[in-house]
Amino acid sequence: MKESNSENILVIGICADVHTQGVHQYHQAGDKYVRALTSLSQHVVPVIIPALFHELSEQAQDTLLATLDGVMLTGSYSNLHPGYYQSALPDDDDAARDPHRDASNWKLIEKILAADLPLLGICRGFQELNVYFGGTLHHRIHEVPGLMDHREDKSLPLEQQYACAHSISLTEKGVLSQWFAPRQEIKVNSIHMQGIDRLGKHLKVEATAPDGLVEAFSCPDYTFLVAVQWHPEWQPHNYPDNASVIQGFIQACTTYKNRSSQ
């Protein structure tokens, strides 16, 4: 259901990746992330933040964030360079890398936290936040004894790749448990090769997979910081649980805007 209050316009930033097309580089964000916001609220204006935030002046960074009511850190085909968590590249590294996004989001996260802007991390964004708070990542979950293979089958149609793959258990009295109450479990898609090894400091586990892998966390030190390993941006109009995550984020942005305007 779309909101009816046309006066409550929200400006939400979405981080970009840098992709090479032909001989040129482009700053891009996936259509599904943009439309996840606009499909659930006619009062959201998505703004793509170029992956050069760290190159802007301090004044420019602050001015940009002052225009926003929240930020989404998206998933990506690339993975955060392991040097950010003091680890070497794995043997036969087959992950795509995006040093522009790595550097840009590292500074962007710092500034978002300082401003206490509502922040939603998805997949790579989830992993970036964990590392920012001092956590580490498994390079290849499917090679870790006791953990499931959380990758999608790329030979299947996209609809099947993003279909629900497994259940997750919600932490009692967490942010997600409030969104999905009275259920203690929900089903999610699973489209990732990496995952949390050591949880970052001050982060609170919000959900775990059947193998114990952390699937969501929050940080009580901030007004709203939630990150999920799955992809709730995928067709929220067809998956109500995906919609609940995006709507929870939009509501946090609304609350922030209302508080800031007082």
Side-chain angles (χ1 to χ4, degrees), residues 2-67:
K2 293 188 176 180
E3 302 162 359
S4 58
N5 183 3
S6 60
E7 298 178 357
N8 194 18
I9 301 299
L10 301 173
V11 182
I12 297 178
I14 301 174
C15 72
D17 301 312
V18 173
H19 291 280
T20 299
Q21 298 181 22
V23 296
H24 297 287
Q25 292 186 320
Y26 293 79
H27 294 252
Q28 301 176 341
D31 179 76
K32 58 182 178 164
Y33 298 101
V34 176
R35 292 188 184 276
L37 295 171
T38 59
S39 68
L40 294 177
S41 173
Q42 59 187 324
H43 306 304
V44 170
V45 179
V47 175
I48 297 174
I49 303 172
L52 46 68
F53 186 81
H54 60 300
E55 298 179 17
L56 302 177
S57 68
E58 196 89 6
Q59 182 180 9
Q61 293 171 358
D62 293 340
T63 299
L64 172 57
L65 290 189
T67 68

Side-chain angles (χ1 to χ4, degrees), residues 241-255:
D241 287 347
N242 286 352
S244 293
V245 175
I246 303 300
Q247 287 171 329
F249 172 54
I250 291 174
Q251 181 56 54
C253 295
T254 300
T255 300

